[in-house]
């Protein structure tokens, strides 16, 4: 039973355009959401997070939007750059325990 | 120092060997984690240590034995592994806050191959 779902295994975006990565969750106890970026043969790198009391968090080119009623979040990257090509994992946690639940990831390809 | 370091980077072992993976962080984080990641899959949580005590064991087989000698170090002792245990083993750490929210910072991983 997947509690965090990333339904697009891959996404291709032209350099300079906006990349939008989507994530859905099923567990209403989740109250903190994170995005990680992963290059091959490296550990995931924390990118940005949002708590459930907010609907938007912005950090430079990265913005995360949270729609609690739809149990949906998205990561926007604008403008997209070649170095953004990586696998992006959506993750969720609750303040009840120390676990983070990861989605299956979306591979983002930035095209020249 | 904002790094989580892991050694070795690569490990090849036979099914009868005993080996250990090591993880270190100097960020003052009081939670440390072991994950296993197979190709094209998300990281799967194995163990969590909070304040040097094992707080979560995700029903991991006993051939994997975690150890937390102090707040900066985390080991994973391996014994009698199977070829299907071949994977990238990731260590992570996080601050423990009263609100419970935590960003986990990952090390680069140890690529384990069991022959």
């Amino acid at each position: 039973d997947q509690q965090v779902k990333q339904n697009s295994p891959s996404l291709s975006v032209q350099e300079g355009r906006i990349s939008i990565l989507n994530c859905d969750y099923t567990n209403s106890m989740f109250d903190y959401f994170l995005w990680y970026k992963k290059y091959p043969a490296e550990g995931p790198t924390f990118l940005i997070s949002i708590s459930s009391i907010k609907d938007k968090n912005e950090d430079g080119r990265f913005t995360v939007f949270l729609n609690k009623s739809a149990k949906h979040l998205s990561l926007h990257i604008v403008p997209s750059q070649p170095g953004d090509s990586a696998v992006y994992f959506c993750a969720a946690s609750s303040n009840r325990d120390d676990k983070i639940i990861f989605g299956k990831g979306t591979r983002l390809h930035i095209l020249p | 120092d904002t790094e989580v370091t892991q050694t070795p980077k690569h490990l090849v072992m036979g099914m009868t060997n005993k080996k250990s993976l090591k993880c270190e962080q100097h960020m003052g984080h009081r939670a440390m984690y072991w994950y296993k990641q197979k190709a094209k899959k998300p990281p799967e949580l194995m163990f969590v240590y909070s304040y040097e005590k094992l707080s979560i064991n995700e029903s991991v087989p006993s051939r994997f034995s975690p150890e937390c000698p102090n707040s900066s170090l985390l080991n994973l002792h391996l014994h009698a592994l199977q070829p299907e245990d071949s994977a990238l083993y990731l260590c992570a750490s996080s601050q423990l806050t009263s609100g419970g929210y935590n960003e986990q910072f990952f090390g680069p991983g140890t690529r384990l191959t069991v022959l």
Side-chain angles (χ1 to χ4, degrees):
Chain A
D1 175 31
Q2 259 188 284
Q3 297 185 67
V4 179
K5 299 178 188 178
Q6 293 178 258
N7 292 319
S8 299
S10 69
L11 175 68
S12 294
V13 174
Q14 206 75 36
E15 182 179 353
R17 300 286 187 114
I18 183 170
S19 296
I20 300 176
L21 296 105
N22 293 304
C23 178
D24 298 292
Y25 62 97
T26 57
N27 188 341
S28 57
M29 298 304 298
F30 288 146
D31 52 13
Y32 193 61
F33 305 90
L34 311 94
W35 284 95
Y36 284 85
K37 174 181 178 179
K38 188 178 185 302
Y39 293 119
E42 293 185 13
T45 303
F46 170 71
L47 209 50
I48 192 168
S49 62
I50 188 167
S51 83
S52 58
I53 61 172
K54 295 186 172 183
D55 55 19
K56 177 182 172 181
N57 188 25
E58 192 171 348
D59 183 2
R61 297 186 298 116
F62 303 93
T63 304
V64 56
F65 295 93
L66 175 62
N67 181 334
K68 274 186 69 179
S69 59
K71 293 194 177 71
H72 176 84
L73 62 153
S74 60
L75 174 68
H76 293 213
I77 307 173
V78 58
S80 300
Q81 297 175 355
D84 296 331
S85 294
V87 176
Y88 289 79
F89 289 101
C90 172
S93 71
S94 77
N95 65 2
R96 289 151 56 103
D97 60 33
D98 299 322
K99 287 187 193 182
I100 283 181
I101 308 298
F102 285 87
K104 288 190 172 180
T106 297
R107 183 174 297 278
L108 177 64
H109 301 269
I110 304 301
L111 307 170
Chain B
D1 184 356
T2 57
E3 260 194 349
V4 177
T5 58
Q6 288 187 245
T7 55
K9 194 165 176 152
H10 300 276
L11 178 63
V12 179
M13 61 187 289
M15 289 191 282
T16 57
N17 290 160
K18 281 185 184 181
K19 296 285 184 185
S20 296
L21 309 185
K22 297 186 183 303
C23 174
E24 192 166 358
Q25 58 88 14
H26 295 287
M27 295 179 276
H29 289 171
R30 302 312 300 270
M32 295 185 77
Y33 310 78
W34 280 115
Y35 287 85
K36 172 181 176 179
Q37 186 174 23
K38 296 277 230 180
K40 300 192 179 180
K41 300 277 187 186
E44 291 176 33
L45 183 65
M46 299 174 73
F47 303 104
V48 181
Y49 273 83
S50 300
Y51 297 101
E52 299 152 56
K53 290 192 179 351
L54 184 65
S55 59
I56 296 176
N57 176 342
E58 290 287 278
S59 304
V60 179
S62 60
R63 58 186 185 267
F64 296 92
S65 174
E67 178 197 16
C68 189
N70 60 55
S71 60
S72 300
L73 292 174
L74 186 66
N75 298 322
L76 186 63
H77 303 298
L78 314 172
H79 174 53
L81 294 194
Q82 305 296 312
E84 59 264 29
D85 296 322
S86 299
L88 181 69
Y89 287 83
L90 293 162
C91 173
S93 71
S94 69
Q95 194 60 274
L96 284 174
T97 63
S98 58
Y101 301 139
N102 60 94
E103 290 102 15
Q104 293 181 18
F105 294 86
F106 284 81
T110 293
R111 173 70 59 190
L112 174 68
T113 303
V114 182
L115 301 176

